[in-house]
């Protein structure tokens, strides 16, 4: 599984790097740190990085999110 890691104005979020609509690579999409969203580069669904939920169609199912921590400039993820 691939995971996208994003820095939203100092807070780190990690989500599954797979659009729930068509498996597009979310980490390659346009990222907006101010709204903490990413746009799927294939069909334009906007995903909320804090929850993994899509904000626009055509995606309607959320993607997985992963808890993160930063210690001594190292980002760690909790992947279950």
């Amino acid at each position: 599984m691939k995971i996208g890691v994003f820095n939203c104005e100092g807070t780190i979020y990690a989500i599954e790097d797979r659009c729930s609509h068509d498996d597009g690579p979310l980490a390659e999409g346009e990222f907006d740190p101010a709204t903490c969203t990413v746009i799927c580069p294939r069909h334009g669904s906007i995903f909320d990085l804090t929850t993994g939920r899509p904000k626009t169609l055509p995606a309607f199912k959320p993607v997985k999110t992963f808890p993160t921590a930063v210690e001594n400039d190292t980002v760690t993820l909790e992947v279950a």
Side-chain angles (χ1 to χ4, degrees), residues 6-80:
F6 300 86
N7 183 341
C8 296
E9 299 185 336
T11 302
I12 305 297
Y13 293 96
I15 64 167
E16 183 178 7
D17 185 21
R18 180 194 63 79
C19 177
S20 59
H21 168 247
D22 76 343
D23 296 331
L26 291 178
E28 294 178 19
E30 185 178 333
F31 166 56
D32 184 344
T35 61
C36 208
T37 57
V38 65
I39 301 173
C40 178
R42 289 196 182 159
H43 296 106
S45 289
I46 299 172
F47 285 84
D48 182 330
L49 297 171
T50 66
T51 64
R53 292 187 177 128
K55 297 181 137 216
T56 61
L57 296 172
F60 60 91
K61 292 182 180 178
V63 295
K64 291 181 184 176
T65 59
F66 304 93
T68 64
V70 179
E71 293 181 31
N72 300 322
D73 295 328
T74 301
V75 176
T76 59
L77 308 175
E78 184 179 318
V79 181

